[in-house]
Amino acid sequence: MKKAITEQEAYLQLAALCAQAEHCEQEMRDKLKRWDIDESAQDRIIQRLVSERYIDDERYARAFVKDKIRYNKWGRRKVQQGLWLKHINPKIQQQVLDEIDDNEYLNVLRPLLHQKRKTIKAQNDYELNQKLVRFAIGRGFTFDIIRQCLDVDEDDFETAL
């Protein structure tokens, strides 16, 4: 039989976890629920973690967005879905997503499309572009950004010939 965890032990474990990496409030609530901590104790623990700045959803959202775009090569839509799944406040989501540098965003998509273009088998340019668009939309990029990158890529290939 599993030993019940006390409120203080739960707080200390979550504080240690938050000191190692960024975590959002929802992740900590999920952990507390798994540990069968009652609702009022959960609220007190979360409130204490927030007041002591172990948890900051805005700071978490900035780190999440930066990591997902830079390392996972996600687009705005997919990042926004990820933030929604973490129950991040929509105002914070919008603020953080608006801070994304458009040049950095384009610099993520261009090499991604260039790399994907090498692996796609298509009978013509139209089919190739359709497959690239579907791929990029699946990654969470919006059509206007994809179109911008495909237009530039096509021009680059024509000048390279």
Side-chain angles (χ1 to χ4, degrees), residues 76-89:
R76 272 189 176 96
R77 294 291 305 139
K78 194 165 183 174
V79 171
Q80 189 174 24
Q81 283 179 326
L83 290 171
W84 180 81
L85 287 172
K86 299 284 187 181
H87 298 273
I88 302 297
N89 182 324

Side-chain angles (χ1 to χ4, degrees), residues 1-102:
M1 190 169 148
K2 206 163 64 169
K3 180 187 158 217
I5 188 169
T6 67
E7 187 174 330
Q8 182 62 19
E9 289 171 335
Y11 165 76
L12 291 173
Q13 285 185 19
L14 294 181
L17 196 62
C18 290
Q20 293 172 358
E22 287 294 340
H23 293 280
C24 66
E25 183 177 327
Q26 187 61 42
E27 290 173 338
M28 298 299 103
R29 283 195 185 280
D30 292 344
K31 276 205 180 300
L32 290 169
K33 284 178 187 160
R34 270 183 277 159
W35 293 342
D36 292 327
I37 306 288
D38 70 278
E39 288 284 324
S40 60
Q42 284 183 30
D43 291 338
R44 285 191 302 273
I45 292 170
I46 294 295
Q47 191 57 44
R48 187 172 171 195
L49 289 170
V50 168
S51 69
E52 294 176 5
R53 307 247 322 130
Y54 282 109
I55 297 175
D56 182 345
D57 279 352
E58 188 172 335
R59 188 178 63 213
Y60 172 82
R62 278 195 175 83
F64 183 87
V65 168
K66 188 172 102 183
D67 286 353
K68 295 303 178 189
I69 289 176
R70 220 174 258 164
Y71 303 116
N72 295 44
K73 312 285 188 224
W74 284 8
R76 272 189 176 96
R77 294 291 305 139
K78 194 165 183 174
V79 171
Q80 189 174 24
Q81 283 179 326
L83 290 171
W84 180 81
L85 287 172
K86 299 284 187 181
H87 298 273
I88 302 297
N89 182 324
K91 287 179 183 172
I92 294 173
Q93 286 182 34
Q94 196 57 50
Q95 177 185 347
V96 172
L97 288 169
D98 287 344
E99 293 172 3
I100 298 171
D101 179 41
D102 287 339

